[in-house]
Amino acid sequence: MAMIIERDCQKTIGACPLIFVALKSTTDFTDTVQQRKSNMNVFCYQCEQTVEGTGCYLCGVCGKTEKVAHLQNLLTAWAKHIAQTATQMLQRGNSSEIIDSFFINALYSTLTNVNFNEKEITKLIFLADHILQLTEYLSTENNPEYQSSLEEQILQSNEEPTEDQIEELVGQGKAYSIATKQNEFGPTIAGLQELILCGLRGTAAYTFHSLELHKKFSDRSRLELKTLTESLKKTKARDSKEKEKKAALQSKINSVTSLLTEWGQKERHLLDGIITELAFLANESTDLNEYLDSALRVGFLNLEAMELLEKGHIQNFGIPEPSVVRLSPIQGKCILVSGHNLKDLYDVLVLTEGKNINVYTHGEMLPAHSYPLLKKFKHLAGHYGTAWQNQQREFDAFPGAILMTSNCLQQPSESYQDYIFTTGPVSWPGIKAIQRDSKGRKDYSPLIQAAFDSPGFFKSKGNEKITIGFGADAIINIWDQIQKAIQQKQLRRFFLIGGCDGSCSKRSYFTDLALAIPNDCVIITLGCGKFRFNREVFAPLPSGLPRLWDVGQCNDAYSAIRVVQFMSEQLNCEIKNLPISIFLSWFEQKAVAVLLTLLALNIKNIRLGPTLPAFLTPDVLNMLADRFGLNLISDPQTDLADCLKK
């Protein structure tokens, strides 16, 4: 069982800051902090929907319990502690997939709306003991056989926690609360620590998905290399045709090998960077500039994670293309796939092909309909529902089985809790999780059976559709039309409205903004925030170009960045001088990671809202405002008028 990491934890648990809608003085901030009571059961301010915008004290508005909160804090502390030893391991050139997996799972599992299961989090804490031993060994030694032996022991360990063990670890976790950090370091440094940690959690989520896709691509590529190598051996090159064939085979082998090597090297750099920044947090600096530098490094790491994820999507499913998606249900049995993991969707599509089950996407899975390989499945019937915060109502009305593949899980209602399944790090107590078989493959048979047991849609309804799939490649392919529209004064400005959605009433700002944007401007959107306005009708430009370009998921911010960089090159001007205004809808850690990426690329004058993260103090906000021109949204008409002046 895991033992507590040694630390001075006798400090009084302090108060927590109010959220800011405008920059305040540090004195006002400190006074506000002192007004808060110190007897809270739990404190979390990693998402935007906290109680009164300040932080959750008794339990999370997301459904997170006091026990889960303290266990997540302890798991995070373990991850940072192990990272210090892991950096020594990396300096020796050693690594382990099991260690990498632990860090990614520990960070991803503590992201908002992912893992609410105290037993599953406790298992990760138990695992930390073994991971630390392996990391300590690899920081001083390098014996492949002994390393394999240690890794095998870890893989076989799966201790089920008792209630007493959970309670003990919950008690240990209280020593690592955010309030404790605020007392020890002050609210500004504690807030910067949380900013970096949030960025790392978002980056870890994207990395998790890219690693799965890389494995799928690598497995397929290794089989291809085996076939190509066997064909090369059989080719004798006795005449010119055979010589050409042999040369072509060798070229293909070199190309696939090079791609695998490049991808592997980029993954290693990304994983090493995540570990290094965790170790930085564990070192507990008191220098504000060092924290800001770390935050920007995390921004670059997230850029790498999103690049690898885009590469994984394209290598496995093809290049996204403009596509029409049906929003109305079709008669028949059905499965709904929500979250972000396209590989899970692909696996479900393969296993349900020919079974008379229609598969629908939900939330951030909408972009799946723009990938050529996924579109080939005739039973990928369309998209159902809107953004994550509406899932309880929408899932309740869905007459089939539901699969939650990533973050954004809400407490399942009784009406559908027998028909919803989770996979990967996602977990809710009492909800069935997709298990792996003896060969390590996910067994979706319970999900499919649940679809058969459900009534399905009795009849088809309506024929509502929208168009998606305006990724970087699609936009670059029509650049001549875009440039012509700019030259002919038909296209004045681009508005990028991206990020997370949520239930806060102030998020109507983004709907009002989108609808107020003039007809000679284009809206580029990504993330689930687009569900605020993506069903609205936007008249096309005179040239026929559409005015709403849906780039994709939140991670497709990388695709949007590619577009901005391409525009900068084609228009021969710096990014800051481009006719583009950026509005970021903030909610949780993925949006934080994307924001840090934009700041790392020195993209300035971003407008952020509807409210700011509670962990950003006035000192930090002033630093970001001075260096990057970061603005808070005000009202749509004022912000729009300001943008159109430029």
Side-chain angles (χ1 to χ4, degrees):
M1 192 184 97
M3 301 298 292
I4 190 169
I5 305 167
E6 292 185 359
R7 175 189 174 103
D8 176 14
C9 56
Q10 301 302 315
K11 302 180 185 295
T12 304
I13 296 179
C16 42
L18 289 172
I19 199 158
F20 289 86
V21 294
L23 300 184
K24 295 183 178 182
S25 71
T26 303
T27 302
D28 290 341
F29 179 81
T30 304
D31 290 343
T32 301
V33 170
Q34 297 305 320
Q35 294 170 8
R36 282 292 176 183
K37 296 180 180 180
S38 61
N39 61 345
M40 76 281 290
N41 293 333
V42 61
F43 175 53
C44 175
Y45 61 177
Q46 68 186 38
C47 84
E48 185 255 353
Q49 290 191 170
T50 55
V51 177
E52 298 178 354
T54 64
C56 294
Y57 299 85
L58 300 177
C59 64
V61 293
C62 63
K64 182 193 297 185
T65 65
E66 175 188 357
K67 289 183 179 180
V68 168
H70 292 315
L71 289 171
Q72 287 185 348
N73 287 339
L74 181 58
L75 176 58
T76 301
W78 264 110
K80 291 193 292 186
H81 178 65
I82 297 171
Q84 291 177 300
T85 305
T87 55
Q88 301 171 31
M89 172 192 73
L90 298 177
Q91 289 170 4
R92 291 181 59 86
N94 293 335
S95 64
S96 166
E97 288 187 12
I98 292 179
I99 294 174
D100 295 336
S101 178
F102 169 77
F103 281 118
I104 297 304
N105 276 282
L107 287 167
Y108 190 6
S109 295
T110 53
L111 185 116
T112 300
N113 291 84
V114 174
N115 195 330
F116 299 83
N117 195 326
E118 59 192 47
K119 287 188 176 181
E120 294 302 317
I121 299 171
T122 299
K123 286 181 181 179
L124 281 171
I125 297 172
F126 284 176
L127 182 62
D129 254 343
H130 303 292
I131 295 296
L132 180 59
Q133 292 175 32
L134 176 59
T135 308
E136 287 176 337
Y137 171 75
L138 291 176
S139 67
T140 57
E141 304 290 341
N142 185 10
N143 184 322
E145 290 186 5
Y146 187 65
Q147 177 180 342
S148 297
S149 174
L150 288 175
E151 290 175 340
E152 185 62 30
Q153 292 177 34
I154 293 173
L155 290 173
Q156 292 178 355
S157 64
N158 189 27
E159 182 183 355
E160 283 290 331
T162 66
E163 289 301 320
D164 287 343
Q165 289 172 324
I166 292 174
E167 289 296 334
E168 180 182 349
L169 293 178
V170 167
Q172 294 180 15
K174 293 179 180 179
Y176 301 97
S177 69
I178 293 170
T180 302
K181 294 178 190 174
Q182 290 174 332
N183 271 343
E184 183 173 351
F185 301 104
T188 296
I189 287 182
L192 280 167
Q193 291 173 342
E194 191 70 10
L195 174 69
I196 294 166
L197 184 58
C198 285
L200 285 171
R201 284 172 173 158
T203 302
Y206 294 143
T207 303
F208 178 91
H209 297 311
S210 72
L211 290 173
E212 283 200 329
L213 290 168
H214 185 195
K215 186 179 185 308
K216 174 179 169 60
F217 173 71
S218 297
D219 291 345
R220 189 173 70 246
S221 296
R222 290 190 180 95
L223 287 174
E224 182 184 7
L225 285 174
K226 183 179 179 181
T227 302
L228 290 170
T229 303
E230 290 174 352
S231 297
L232 184 64
K233 290 179 180 178
K234 294 176 182 178
T235 305
K236 303 300 181 182
R238 288 170 295 194
D239 55 36
S240 59
K241 286 187 178 180
E242 287 189 337
K243 287 180 180 179
E244 290 178 3
K245 180 181 178 181
K246 191 167 186 176
L249 286 169
Q250 187 61 60
S251 176
K252 182 64 175 176
I253 289 172
N254 293 342
S255 176
V256 175
T257 302
S258 176
L259 185 57
L260 284 171
T261 301
E262 178 188 4
W263 201 337
Q265 290 174 342
K266 287 185 176 182
E267 277 186 355
R268 186 69 263 156
H269 183 267
L270 171 59
L271 290 164
D272 289 357
I274 290 172
I275 293 170
T276 300
E277 296 311 317
L278 265 178
F280 167 78
L281 286 178
N283 291 334
E284 299 180 339
S285 171
T286 57
D287 188 318
L288 290 178
N289 289 319
E290 287 185 359
Y291 282 108
L292 183 57
D293 290 343
S294 174
L296 297 181
R297 290 196 299 269
V298 171
F300 280 119
L301 288 173
N302 187 61
L303 180 68
E304 294 177 21
M306 292 191 298
E307 177 189 6
L308 286 173
L309 188 49
E310 181 187 72
K311 187 187 295 289
H313 286 153
I314 290 174
Q315 291 292 345
N316 286 286
F317 310 123
I319 298 174
E321 56 193 17
S323 307
V324 176
V325 184
R326 182 184 174 95
L327 300 178
S328 306
I330 298 174
Q331 180 182 2
K333 302 290 185 179
C334 48
I335 290 175
L336 185 64
V337 182
S338 188
H340 300 75
N341 196 321
L342 296 186
K343 182 182 181 300
D344 282 319
L345 174 64
Y346 172 79
D347 291 343
V348 170
L349 287 169
V350 169
L351 292 171
T352 53
E353 193 167 23
K355 296 185 183 296
N356 293 319
I357 296 176
N358 290 319
V359 177
Y360 297 86
T361 56
H362 177 269
E364 285 271 62
M365 297 299 288
L366 172 62
H369 298 270
S370 65
Y371 288 90
L373 181 58
L374 297 177
K375 289 199 298 181
K376 286 183 179 180
F377 291 95
K378 301 301 181 183
H379 62 303
L380 180 59
H383 187 81
Y384 173 91
T386 54
W388 69 273
Q389 76 275 5
N390 301 318
Q391 69 182 250
Q392 288 177 325
R393 170 174 51 82
E394 293 171 352
F395 288 4
D396 179 67
F398 186 77
I402 303 164
L403 179 66
M404 181 59 71
T405 68
S406 67
N407 58 302
C408 299
L409 174 66
Q410 289 184 311
Q411 180 175 1
S413 299
E414 289 185 10
S415 60
Y416 61 84
Q417 65 182 9
D418 291 334
Y419 296 92
I420 185 170
F421 297 78
T422 62
T423 183
V426 187
S427 184
W428 188 282
I431 299 303
K432 294 181 288 292
I434 297 298
Q435 304 296 327
R436 294 186 180 273
D437 60 22
S438 58
K439 295 183 179 180
R441 296 172 300 195
K442 290 183 179 181
D443 179 11
Y444 295 97
S445 56
L447 173 78
I448 297 171
Q449 186 58 52
F452 282 126
D453 294 340
S454 302
F457 288 104
F458 289 114
K459 62 179 181 179
S460 301
K461 301 177 182 179
N463 193 30
E464 186 179 3
K465 297 177 180 179
I466 58 172
T467 301
I468 65 167
F470 288 92
D473 294 286
I475 294 174
I476 290 171
N477 285 339
I478 60 171
W479 176 250
D480 288 345
Q481 299 175 55
I482 297 170
Q483 192 168 32
K484 184 177 180 181
I486 294 173
Q487 293 170 347
Q488 294 180 349
K489 309 297 183 183
Q490 295 178 353
L491 175 52
R492 179 171 27 158
R493 194 166 189 84
F494 299 89
F495 287 83
L496 196 160
I497 307 176
C500 304
D501 201 7
S503 59
C504 174
S505 60
K506 292 181 180 179
R507 290 183 180 276
S508 61
Y509 168 94
F510 298 100
T511 307
D512 296 339
L513 174 68
L515 293 176
I517 290 173
N519 290 341
D520 58 354
C521 298
V522 162
I523 302 169
I524 303 173
T525 188
L526 67 155
C528 63
K530 63 173 167 272
F531 288 105
R532 289 276 168 175
F533 52 82
N534 70 336
R535 298 190 187 203
E536 301 288 344
V537 177
F538 295 91
L541 295 173
S543 62
L545 283 172
R547 287 184 49 238
L548 180 64
W549 299 352
D550 185 347
V551 176
Q553 294 182 341
C554 53
N555 57 278
D556 288 314
Y558 179 75
S559 191
I561 289 168
R562 285 177 57 201
V563 170
V564 170
Q565 292 173 332
F566 178 79
M567 287 182 178
S568 176
E569 294 170 2
Q570 295 298 310
L571 298 177
N572 194 29
C573 68
E574 296 182 30
I575 290 176
K576 65 180 180 180
N577 296 324
L578 284 173
I580 185 167
S581 300
I582 299 176
F583 294 78
L584 183 61
S585 172
W586 178 80
F587 178 76
E588 49 84 42
Q589 292 91 316
K590 286 183 175 179
V592 172
V594 171
L595 173 62
L596 293 181
T597 295
L598 297 176
L599 298 183
L601 292 170
N602 203 30
I603 295 177
K604 298 183 177 181
N605 302 316
I606 298 168
R607 283 178 165 82
L608 183 68
T611 47
L612 284 179
F615 51 77
L616 289 183
T617 68
D619 286 340
V620 178
L621 291 178
N622 284 323
M623 290 172 67
L624 297 178
D626 291 343
R627 183 165 173 179
F628 301 105
L630 192 66
N631 297 306
L632 305 179
I633 61 172
S634 57
D635 66 85
Q637 292 298 336
T638 300
D639 290 342
L640 183 59
D642 184 54
C643 292
L644 292 174
K645 288 178 185 176
K646 300 175 181 178

